[in-house]
Amino acid sequence: MSEDVFSDVTDVYEAMIDWQKRLANEGRFYRSLFDRVGVRSVADVACGTGRHAEMFHSWGLRVQGADISVNMIERARTNFGESNNLRWAVRSFDQPIQPSAPFDAVICTGNSLALASDMPTVERAVREMLAAVRGGGVVVLHVLNLWRLPDGPCVWQKCKRATLERGDVLIAKGVHRTGSSGYVDLIIASLDTSTTMQTESVPILGIEAEKLDQTLRNAGASSVRIFGNYQEQPYNRDSSVDLIAVAEK
């Protein structure tokens, strides 16, 4: 995965997401899972600006957040600091994690895994994640369920006005599917007198649940559960918004 996916939209990424709502929704899932598995240490291998990593750290866990984007990691370090129990690293999700001691959990959330260039890269990333957790530990993968989208038209997900360092902007984010491939579409339109507009369209992989399950098992998972959302409802290829895999080693 290239570092210049979406070029540098760190500030846009932060502005697009209602983090309080998102972490409240996902936090209950991770709390329950981590309590059951006995998690005390976590690696977030595509951590973005570090919001999940900081949430886990606030629970008293030892956390490492890593991302391929230098700017994302610098934002995380600036926002949340760094300590013995909260570390940041610049690293792609398919590179070796090499912890000094195995983690209890590794997560890759927010559709990051689907940004891989191809399935062999996904398989390599999954192997590295499984290799970094202890026996009995857990790996959580979350991607968009591309198959619920219509073939062709863009489904616009967000349209938001925000004030960034560059000025007032209108941000629109959508996703569309073309056959077995998908694209994340982003429009950033300046609202000042310059009326400039930045557009991005980044390819994402359509990952099948069965393929993800088999990839995890081939990498050493002893069990895999597949869900359609963070409320742990059953995955349905035609209707689920999310594809979430929980693999125990």
Side-chain angles (χ1 to χ4, degrees), residues 19-117:
W19 284 107
Q20 183 176 5
K21 181 179 179 180
R22 176 172 172 179
L23 294 178
N25 175 53
E26 299 178 18
R28 290 187 290 269
F29 169 88
Y30 284 111
R31 273 279 200 184
S32 176
L33 176 64
F34 288 0
D35 286 348
R36 181 175 64 80
V37 176
V39 170
R40 295 293 177 266
S41 60
V42 186
D44 183 348
V45 301
C47 71
T49 54
R51 298 285 184 161
H52 286 84
E54 167 57 20
M55 178 177 71
F56 301 147
H57 176 247
S58 74
W59 297 349
L61 307 182
R62 178 173 62 86
V63 184
Q64 182 196 85
D67 200 277
I68 196 171
S69 168
V70 174
N71 290 322
M72 292 279 194
I73 290 298
E74 284 305 311
R75 180 67 62 89
R77 188 176 282 117
T78 298
N79 285 348
F80 306 121
E82 195 163 22
S83 67
N84 289 336
N85 288 327
L86 181 61
R87 296 290 188 182
W88 307 104
V90 177
R91 185 181 64 242
S92 177
F93 52 54
D94 63 326
Q95 292 178 324
I97 299 173
Q98 298 178 327
S100 57
F103 288 100
D104 298 319
V106 176
I107 76 164
C108 185
T109 189
N111 204 40
S112 297
L113 194 61
L115 292 170
S117 57

Side-chain angles (χ1 to χ4, degrees), residues 2-3 7 17 49 64 83 88 103 157 169 182 198 213 220 224 228 244:
S2 171
E3 181 182 354
S7 60
I17 299 172
T49 54
Q64 182 196 85
S83 67
W88 307 104
F103 288 100
Q157 301 170 313
V169 298
Q198 175 185 356
D213 182 296
V224 180
I244 301 170

Side-chain angles (χ1 to χ4, degrees), residues 65-179:
D67 200 277
I68 196 171
S69 168
V70 174
N71 290 322
M72 292 279 194
I73 290 298
E74 284 305 311
R75 180 67 62 89
R77 188 176 282 117
T78 298
N79 285 348
F80 306 121
E82 195 163 22
S83 67
N84 289 336
N85 288 327
L86 181 61
R87 296 290 188 182
W88 307 104
V90 177
R91 185 181 64 242
S92 177
F93 52 54
D94 63 326
Q95 292 178 324
I97 299 173
Q98 298 178 327
S100 57
F103 288 100
D104 298 319
V106 176
I107 76 164
C108 185
T109 189
N111 204 40
S112 297
L113 194 61
L115 292 170
S117 57
D118 49 36
M119 282 307 298
T121 302
V122 171
E123 292 164 4
R124 185 166 61 251
V126 168
R127 286 196 301 270
E128 296 298 346
M129 292 180 216
L130 263 298
V133 298
R134 62 167 170 82
V138 65
V139 170
V140 181
L141 307 176
H142 162 256
V143 295
L144 175 73
N145 175 31
L146 192 64
W147 314 111
R148 71 180 288 270
L149 299 176
D151 190 346
C154 183
V155 177
W156 293 101
Q157 301 170 313
K158 297 178 184 291
C159 184
K160 182 176 182 180
R161 180 172 180 165
T163 300
L164 310 178
E165 289 186 6
R166 68 186 80 178
D168 287 343
V169 298
L170 185 67
I171 305 167
K173 174 182 174 287
V175 62
H176 73 274
R177 178 172 69 88
T178 302

